[in-house]
């Protein structure tokens, strides 16, 4: 009887122990992940949040969203906005579409000037980056001349043909005249005739080409030769100009290109290596849905950050004074990649996609700031069906900002160069799925402390803030809405909407 009672007590104790163990696990699982900030442990940030705009018919005068687009850009007031004049619309991107002959030249700014004028007006007081990336086709050797549409609004996807550039000197002269047109009031053409523009814009940043790894099959050696010719020619007319090089679309595939370009020994003496640039787009496969995108986007962003660390190591070793721009950052849905194919049908983009893409940009901004990248530009101001609709930051039907724009606006209004980045940790408290979904980064400047939170998932998540956040204000953009909602923090446990980007401003 005594042995039976003893065995019963042991069994009871084991059952109670199991209840304690599993009960604690259940309790932990129900706990929210917590954000822990070590405010005194910090590094300086110099990272500018900004965006890219690309010329297309929607930015031309008379477009139904022309005024709204330029007003949004003006209201944002960002520095280093990249304005790309790109090849799908030759008449909007190339100022000399025909080669000069013995009797005349063919410079024509009637379509380009209004775009530049409107952009400069919207960017007044700030420092944009101009990128006339498309080389006049006649400077390349091709089997036959490349024809371009007479209609400036008609897209042409095969304008940039050829690999053999037959006159590097003429290339440099073309860009020097282009810069002179906009900064010096005009230029003297190939036949010695002066053309007056009346433009005296203060343009200080010029990017040399776009995505050279995709256009004209440019080798690193060819690019350096062309970059050197352009910078030498432009500096003669605009000595204040700073230059941005490379603009690579697939940086993970181009370690040799970075290494060759960043080595001053490969350039002519005195050639400036002011900036390098490269791009990142999260792109899901065609059979994925929003529920897959939430994982794919951030996985691809993590891979890009590893590539960026390697590029920065090359920069530090070869040309440590060169600054870094990630001036196309965003997402592109699979359908945009086949928009020029016959029979392509645009799929409806779910409203929550814009919030997911905004959350992706906020994540990239915080992580690239920690790495010391100088400029992070979201891409792009206006896209629309047939022109990468999923990259747009504005609704192409009415010009209203979507969540991609309002997230950038939230970041630009709260963070920038001069901030300190404090050591920030998200602790799981037994709930890895929830903590893995949250990105948190603390910022401070002159005693003002702020906390950026990003919910990477398409579900609400509760997160516990540091106790010092009680009484703070929090601005939220999330769910499937572009609107910013402001409220007070009355409880250190806050519930973040799906794909939320939130900024907590602590009381001083």
């Amino acid at each position: 009887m005594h042995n039976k009672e003893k065995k019963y007590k042991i069994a009871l104790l084991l059952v109670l122990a199991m209840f304690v163990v599993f009960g604690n696990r259940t309790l932990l699982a129900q706990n929210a992940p917590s954000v822990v900030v070590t405010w005194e442990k910090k590094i300086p940030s110099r990272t500018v949040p900004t965006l890219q705009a690309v010329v297309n018919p929607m930015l031309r005068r008379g477009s139904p969203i022309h005024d709204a687009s330029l007003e949004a850009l003006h209201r944002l007031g960002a520095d280093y906005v990249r304005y790309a004049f790109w090849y799908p619309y030759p008449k909007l991107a190339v100022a000399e579409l025909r080669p000069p002959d013995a009797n005349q030249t063919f410079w024509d700014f009637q379509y380009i000037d209004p775009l530049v004028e409107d952009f400069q007006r919207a960017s007044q007081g700030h420092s944009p980056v101009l990128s006339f990336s498309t080389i006049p086709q006649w400077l390349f050797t091709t089997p036959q001349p490349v024809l371009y549409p007479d209609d400036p609004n008609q897209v042409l996807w095969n304008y940039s043909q050829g690999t053999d550039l037959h006159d590097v000197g003429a290339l440099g002269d073309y860009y020097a005249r282009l810069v002179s047109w906009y900064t010096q009031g005009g230029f003297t053409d190939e036949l010695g005739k002066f053309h007056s523009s009346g433009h005296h814009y203060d343009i200080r940043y010029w990017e040399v080409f776009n995505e050279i790894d995709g256009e004209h099959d440019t080798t690193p050696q060819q690019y350096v030769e062309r970059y050197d010719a352009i910078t030498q020619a432009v500096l003669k007319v605009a000595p204040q100009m700073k230059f941005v090089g490379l603009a690579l679309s697939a940086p993970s595939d181009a370690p040799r290109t970075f290494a060759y370009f960043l080595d001053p020994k490969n350039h002519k003496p005195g050639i400036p290596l002011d900036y390098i640039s490269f791009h990142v787009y999260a792109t899901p496969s065609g059979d994925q849905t929003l529920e897959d995108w939430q994982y794919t986007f951030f996985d691809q962003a993590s891979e890009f950050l590893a590539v960026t660390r390697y590029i920065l190591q090359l920069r530090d070793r070869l040309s440590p004074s060169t600054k870094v721009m990630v001036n196309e950052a965003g997402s592109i849905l699979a359908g945009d990649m086949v928009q020029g194919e016959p029979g392509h049908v645009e799929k409806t983009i779910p409203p929550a996609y814009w919030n997911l893409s905004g959350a992706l940009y906020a994540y990239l901004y915080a992580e690239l700031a920690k790495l010391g990248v100088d400029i992070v530009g979201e891409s792009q101001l206006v896209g629309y069906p047939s022109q990468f609709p999923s990259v747009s930051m504005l609704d192409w039907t009415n010009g209203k900002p979507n969540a991609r724009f309002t997230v950038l606006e939230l970041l630009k209004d709260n963070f920038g160069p001069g901030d300190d980045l404090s050591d920030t940790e998200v602790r799981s408290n037994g709930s890895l799925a929830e903590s893995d979904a949250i990105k948190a980064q603390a910022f401070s400047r002159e005693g003002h402390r702020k906390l950026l939170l990003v919910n990477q998932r398409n579900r609400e998540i509760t997160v516990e803030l540091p106790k010092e956040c009680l009484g703070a204000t929090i601005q939220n953009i999330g769910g499937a809405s572009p609107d910013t909602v402001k409220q007070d923090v009355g409880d250190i446990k806050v519930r973040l909407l799906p794909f939320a980007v939130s900024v907590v401003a602590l009381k001083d």
Side-chain angles (χ1 to χ4, degrees), residues 7 36 38 78 92 135 155-156 201 225 254 257 261 265 291 332 350 378 422 479 489:
K7 288 179 180 180
V36 178
T38 308
L92 305 183
I135 302 171
V155 69
L156 177 71
Y201 294 125
E225 180 186 33
T257 303
F261 178 81
K265 292 183 294 185
E291 292 308 302
I332 298 179
E378 190 173 15
S422 292
V489 178

Side-chain angles (χ1 to χ4, degrees), residues 276-308:
I276 56 171
S277 62
F278 48 96
H279 305 157
V280 54
Y281 289 97
T283 305
S285 63
D287 60 347
Q288 290 185 342
T289 66
L290 181 69
E291 292 308 302
D292 305 304
W293 300 345
Q294 63 183 318
Y295 302 101
T296 298
F297 281 20
F298 292 99
D299 286 347
Q300 292 182 1
S302 180
E303 293 170 3
F304 170 76
L305 292 171
V307 172
T308 301

Side-chain angles (χ1 to χ4, degrees), residues 107-215:
W107 292 90
D108 185 357
F109 289 89
Q110 64 175 309
Y111 301 110
I112 298 174
D113 261 8
L115 292 164
V116 174
E117 291 165 3
D118 293 349
F119 175 76
Q120 288 293 129
R121 192 176 300 112
S123 302
Q124 191 171 6
H126 301 279
S127 301
V129 180
L130 289 192
S131 177
F132 280 83
S133 61
T134 305
I135 302 171
Q137 190 54 49
W138 52 268
L139 282 170
F140 284 90
T141 301
T142 55
Q144 55 189 0
V146 177
L147 302 178
Y148 52 88
D150 188 56
D151 180 0
N153 290 341
Q154 183 177 334
V155 69
L156 177 71
W157 290 109
N158 66 344
Y159 178 77
S160 292
Q161 298 182 32
T163 59
D164 179 20
L165 182 75
H166 52 74
D167 192 339
V168 175
L171 175 70
D173 292 341
Y174 169 80
Y175 280 99
R177 291 187 174 103
L178 195 57
V179 170
S180 188
W181 178 264
Y182 287 114
T183 65
Q184 307 301 316
F187 63 81
T188 300
D189 70 14
E190 296 92 331
L191 300 181
K193 179 182 177 181
F194 183 77
H195 299 257
S196 176
S197 69
H199 298 311
H200 293 274
Y201 294 125
D202 183 16
I203 299 171
R204 303 196 178 193
Y205 300 92
W206 194 273
E207 189 170 48
V208 180
F209 308 149
N210 175 65
E211 299 189 347
I212 61 163
D213 43 352
E215 295 185 25

Side-chain angles (χ1 to χ4, degrees), residues 242-271:
K242 301 292 183 183
F243 296 93
V244 184
L246 295 180
L248 293 172
S249 64
S252 61
D253 297 336
R256 292 181 181 178
T257 303
F258 283 108
Y260 191 86
F261 178 81
L262 284 168
D263 191 340
K265 292 183 294 185
N266 295 324
H267 294 266
K268 293 180 180 179
I271 293 296

Side-chain angles (χ1 to χ4, degrees), residues 349-399:
I349 299 175
Y353 162 78
W354 308 112
N355 295 77
L356 166 59
S357 188
L360 173 69
Y361 175 76
Y363 172 87
L364 284 168
Y365 174 77
E367 290 297 316
L368 291 171
K370 289 196 294 186
L371 295 181
V373 169
D374 297 275
I375 293 162
V376 182
E378 190 173 15
S379 178
Q380 66 188 46
L381 183 64
V382 176
Y384 61 98
S386 80
Q387 276 299 303
F388 300 98
S390 67
V391 305
S392 189
M393 300 169 71
L394 305 177
D395 185 321
W396 54 81
T397 66
N398 57 28

Side-chain angles (χ1 to χ4, degrees), residues 304-316:
F304 170 76
L305 292 171
V307 172
T308 301
R309 293 185 186 96
Y310 176 72
I311 294 168
L312 293 175
Q313 289 177 352
L314 284 176
R315 187 277 310 268
D316 292 344

Side-chain angles (χ1 to χ4, degrees), residues 328-454:
E328 290 189 35
S331 58
I332 298 179
L333 295 181
D336 287 15
M337 309 306 292
V338 293
Q339 59 192 334
E341 294 185 3
H344 172 65
V345 177
E346 295 286 350
K347 293 183 178 180
T348 300
I349 299 175
Y353 162 78
W354 308 112
N355 295 77
L356 166 59
S357 188
L360 173 69
Y361 175 76
Y363 172 87
L364 284 168
Y365 174 77
E367 290 297 316
L368 291 171
K370 289 196 294 186
L371 295 181
V373 169
D374 297 275
I375 293 162
V376 182
E378 190 173 15
S379 178
Q380 66 188 46
L381 183 64
V382 176
Y384 61 98
S386 80
Q387 276 299 303
F388 300 98
S390 67
V391 305
S392 189
M393 300 169 71
L394 305 177
D395 185 321
W396 54 81
T397 66
N398 57 28
K400 292 182 179 179
N402 61 36
R404 302 185 75 235
F405 187 93
T406 54
V407 164
L408 170 61
E409 194 169 34
L410 181 66
L411 297 181
K412 187 262 176 187
D413 289 346
N414 285 280
F415 310 118
D419 288 339
D420 286 318
L421 305 172
S422 292
D423 188 70
T424 311
E425 177 188 358
V426 180
R427 294 179 180 171
S428 71
N429 298 327
S431 181
L432 289 174
E434 303 295 90
S435 61
D436 286 349
I438 298 297
K439 167 65 188 172
Q441 180 58 55
F443 296 76
S444 62
R445 182 191 300 201
E446 299 175 350
H448 304 291
R449 297 178 295 173
K450 295 181 179 180
L451 183 63
L452 173 65
L453 301 169
V454 180

